[in-house]
Amino acid sequence: MTRTRTFFVILAVVLLAGCVRGNVTPTAPIVEPITATLPPAETAVPAPPTPTLTPQPPAEAAAGIRYDFDLSIDYYSHFVDVLQKIEYQNQSGDTLSEIVLLVYPALFPGSFALESMEINGQPYQAYRLDNKRLTLPLPRALAPFESISIQLKYRLNLPAREGTYGWTARQTNLGNWHPFIPAYLPGTGWVEHDPWVVNEFLVGEFLVYPSADYRVVVRMADGQQTVTLAAPAVEQLVEGARVYELPAARTFTISLSDQYQMTELVANGVTIRSYYFAEHAYGGAEVVNLAAKSLDVFSKRFGQFPRESLTVVEADFLHGMEFDGLFYLSRGFYGFYDGGAQNNLTIITAHETAHQWFFSLVHNDQALEPWLDEALCTYSELVYYETYHPELVDWWWNNRVNFFNPSGAININIYDATGYEAYRDTVYLNGAKFLAELRTAIGDDAFFRLLTAYVEQNRNKIATRETFFTLLDAVTDVDTSGLVSKYFK
Ligand SMILES: [Zn+2]
């Protein structure tokens, strides 16, 4: 059984997705020295003690997915020819009579042009493409732990639109661009949701990716070798092609431009790259320091960052968005950056970096339980400010949260949302208030043991409200039932 909800969706107007749109009013420039230095090797954050908790069973079947891509990108004609190979081992626990692929580009008329498919090396034409769902009835059922190889050839005709998938005059974004095998819940089935659009705005995220191993080979069209490509992994050049490997990743997102400037910083063994446009060179160069500081404090608070690189891209659209190993910051955040810390560039860099833990490492169903990543990432902004700008903690609370007077049960799904602002206020902002009250109730030690255990035990699995509260019970004897009835429905 799939977990599908059908809604009236006008996809031509799915314009603004949104992990985060800025909600802090730009403040007047403040007199503050510009600090472009790295954080000290040891910050004031104590390493949390190793949790000794009983392991929980996974909520999601292990995935066993490997993707190999050959991409030919024509930046100026706005299409991509793709050869995609999928090696899938059935670790679902069920015998599968069909495989499902979800195809986000198919939501854009004419964007996804499937040319051919093979299964186990044989031509295969029995597929059905319905909206974004590509169903592959199998010639023979796939028993547990059996493997299958699937190959697809297709062209992506990129839509002209601002967003994580599409192109503008100075940027091409490949987010959610390839058919993927969605998460699978044993006994329940493929996790499949529809987007939620309110007043022409896409509210929240709805695709639930399991982890997969990626190898991506990119060739640019003739004469386009100088187009810059931002990727979530370090590039290797092999015979004129750009080659990337990203293990155990939820997504592999690419951004290209012939106008990017780039600043790189290696901090604690992680290569941090910031790609930005010339008019925002000041903020763009500083982003690597903001990201380095975020990685440092969150590694200490939540567990080690497991990747060799983190890439930040200035978005030619008006929100921030997390992907695995790469995130976008809206062009709107850069213009107001003044070198101080009271701005969205600082806040949202911390927020999106935190998604490397609460999205990339720990999965959650972002359509049904978005508070699990968004409340934690919003609260992570506070952790950043407590560490680096303790004098601005009150400012953060007042401007980021209290100004909007958030209320409501934080565990709504995206389909409960009546609009982006209401959704943000409840899930992100009231969610942060819940976590703050929880920390006060159980104490710093138990609170951060909870978060490190939550990351460690849910690595590459779909965490749930139940997972979270089971771990909470393991770290504290404090009665938190009053908080639960205050913040949850
Ligand atoms: Zn977010």
Side-chain angles (χ1 to χ4, degrees):
M1 189 180 81
T2 57
R3 303 171 70 180
T4 308
R5 298 184 60 164
T6 306
F7 294 89
F8 179 68
V9 172
I10 306 169
L11 278 151
V13 294
V14 175
L15 290 175
L16 289 176
C19 162
V20 175
R21 283 180 246 163
N23 63 353
V24 172
T25 310
T27 50
I30 52 173
V31 182
E32 180 177 315
I34 296 162
T35 54
T37 52
L38 269 178
E42 289 296 323
T43 63
V45 182
T50 307
T52 52
L53 300 171
T54 312
Q56 300 298 312
E60 172 193 11
I65 302 170
R66 177 178 174 82
Y67 294 118
D68 276 273
F69 290 96
D70 271 294
L71 303 185
S72 298
I73 300 179
D74 192 319
Y75 179 81
Y76 294 103
S77 297
H78 315 296
F79 67 82
V80 184
D81 284 324
V82 184
L83 177 64
Q84 174 176 355
K85 294 176 184 170
I86 307 171
E87 294 293 331
Y88 175 71
Q89 186 188 46
N90 178 11
Q91 299 178 7
S92 71
D94 294 342
T95 295
L96 301 174
S97 59
E98 60 184 32
I99 300 280
V100 164
L101 299 172
L102 298 183
V103 190
Y104 179 75
L107 295 173
F108 300 85
S111 184
F112 179 70
L114 182 59
E115 292 169 17
S116 65
M117 200 182 299
E118 291 181 6
I119 287 185
N120 293 334
Q122 300 299 312
Y124 177 80
Q125 294 170 335
Y127 57 83
R128 300 188 305 271
L129 180 60
D130 177 23
N131 196 14
K132 69 180 186 307
R133 179 187 230 254
L134 186 58
T135 307
L136 283 56
L138 298 179
R140 189 173 61 78
L142 196 65
F145 297 105
E146 263 193 291
S147 294
I148 189 170
S149 57
I150 302 165
Q151 178 174 302
L152 303 95
K153 280 180 76 172
Y154 52 93
R155 173 170 285 191
L156 300 171
N157 297 299
L158 303 174
R161 65 188 287 271
E162 292 189 355
T164 55
Y165 179 71
W167 64 273
T168 66
R170 60 178 183 174
Q171 185 176 66
T172 291
N173 292 322
L174 295 177
N176 297 316
W177 55 276
H178 67 79
F180 73 96
I181 296 180
Y184 188 97
L185 297 178
T188 302
W190 308 104
V191 181
E192 181 186 4
H193 305 298
D194 283 333
W196 183 231
V197 178
V198 180
N199 297 330
E200 303 185 4
F201 288 113
L202 186 62
V203 176
E205 281 78 63
F206 66 97
L207 298 171
V208 184
Y209 288 83
S211 296
D213 295 331
Y214 281 84
R215 184 171 191 273
V216 180
V217 178
V218 178
R219 290 178 181 81
M220 300 300 297
D222 288 346
Q224 299 184 14
Q225 295 305 322
T226 56
V227 175
T228 301
L229 191 158
V234 175
E235 172 182 297
Q236 296 175 311
L237 287 175
V238 181
E239 296 173 354
R242 311 174 197 198
V243 180
Y244 308 88
E245 305 242 13
L246 195 64
R250 297 193 76 189
T251 57
F252 193 102
T253 295
I254 294 169
S255 179
L256 304 106
S257 176
D258 58 3
Q259 298 178 33
Y260 280 146
Q261 299 188 0
M262 194 272 281
T263 296
E264 178 179 303
L265 173 73
V266 179
N268 296 322
V270 179
T271 300
I272 302 165
R273 287 180 171 177
S274 168
Y275 294 86
Y276 48 90
F277 299 108
E279 73 270 25
H280 295 142
Y282 176 57
E286 183 64 14
V287 159
V288 294
N289 294 311
L290 303 175
K293 289 159 74 174
S294 301
L295 282 178
D296 197 58
V297 63
F298 299 153
S299 291
K300 292 183 169 81
R301 285 304 203 187
F302 310 145
Q304 198 58 42
F305 181 65
R307 300 225 177 276
E308 297 175 341
S309 72
L310 178 66
T311 297
V312 188
V313 178
E314 178 178 349
D316 199 14
F317 51 81
L318 291 175
H319 58 89
M321 181 53 71
E322 72 278 10
F323 290 101
D324 205 327
L326 180 150
F327 61 81
Y328 289 95
L329 296 173
S330 170
R331 62 184 184 229
F333 301 158
Y334 290 76
F336 290 107
Y337 185 71
D338 59 3
Q342 292 168 276
N343 48 64
N344 278 322
L345 199 71
T346 306
I347 294 171
I348 309 302
T349 297
H351 179 106
E352 303 296 358
T353 303
H355 272 301
Q356 296 303 308
W357 282 264
F358 308 116
F359 164 76
S360 298
L361 266 183
V362 179
H363 309 181
N364 59 301
D365 188 322
Q366 289 181 291
L368 299 185
E369 295 196 291
W371 75 274
L372 278 167
D373 63 301
E374 296 301 359
L376 282 164
C377 289
T378 305
Y379 192 78
S380 299
E381 301 165 17
L382 177 67
V383 173
Y384 178 95
Y385 277 89
E386 284 180 338
T387 305
Y388 299 110
H389 307 282
E391 74 285 3
L392 295 180
V393 163
D394 288 345
W395 170 85
W396 182 87
W397 274 114
N398 290 332
N399 285 273
R400 176 67 160 142
V401 180
N402 296 335
F403 176 80
F404 299 93
N405 210 6
S407 63
I410 69 172
N411 60 323
I412 57 171
N413 62 46
I414 60 171
Y415 311 105
D416 292 327
T418 54
Y420 174 76
E421 276 76 18
Y423 170 72
R424 175 205 61 199
D425 292 355
T426 299
V427 173
Y428 292 54
L429 307 183
N430 217 30
K433 286 179 69 173
F434 160 68
L435 291 166
E437 286 196 42
L438 180 65
R439 180 175 168 183
T440 300
I442 68 176
D444 277 18
D445 178 63
F447 182 77
F448 286 106
R449 274 195 295 133
L450 167 66
L451 295 188
T452 51
Y454 176 76
V455 170
E456 186 54 39
Q457 297 202 8
N458 295 291
R459 192 173 288 247
N460 298 331
K461 299 172 193 166
I462 298 179
T464 63
R465 169 183 174 174
E466 192 176 9
T467 321
F468 185 90
F469 280 99
T470 301
L471 288 171
L472 176 62
D473 288 341
V475 298
T476 185
D477 294 328
V478 173
D479 178 8
T480 56
S481 57
L483 278 179
V484 173
S485 51
K486 180 176 176 184
Y487 284 100
F488 288 79
K489 61 175 182 180

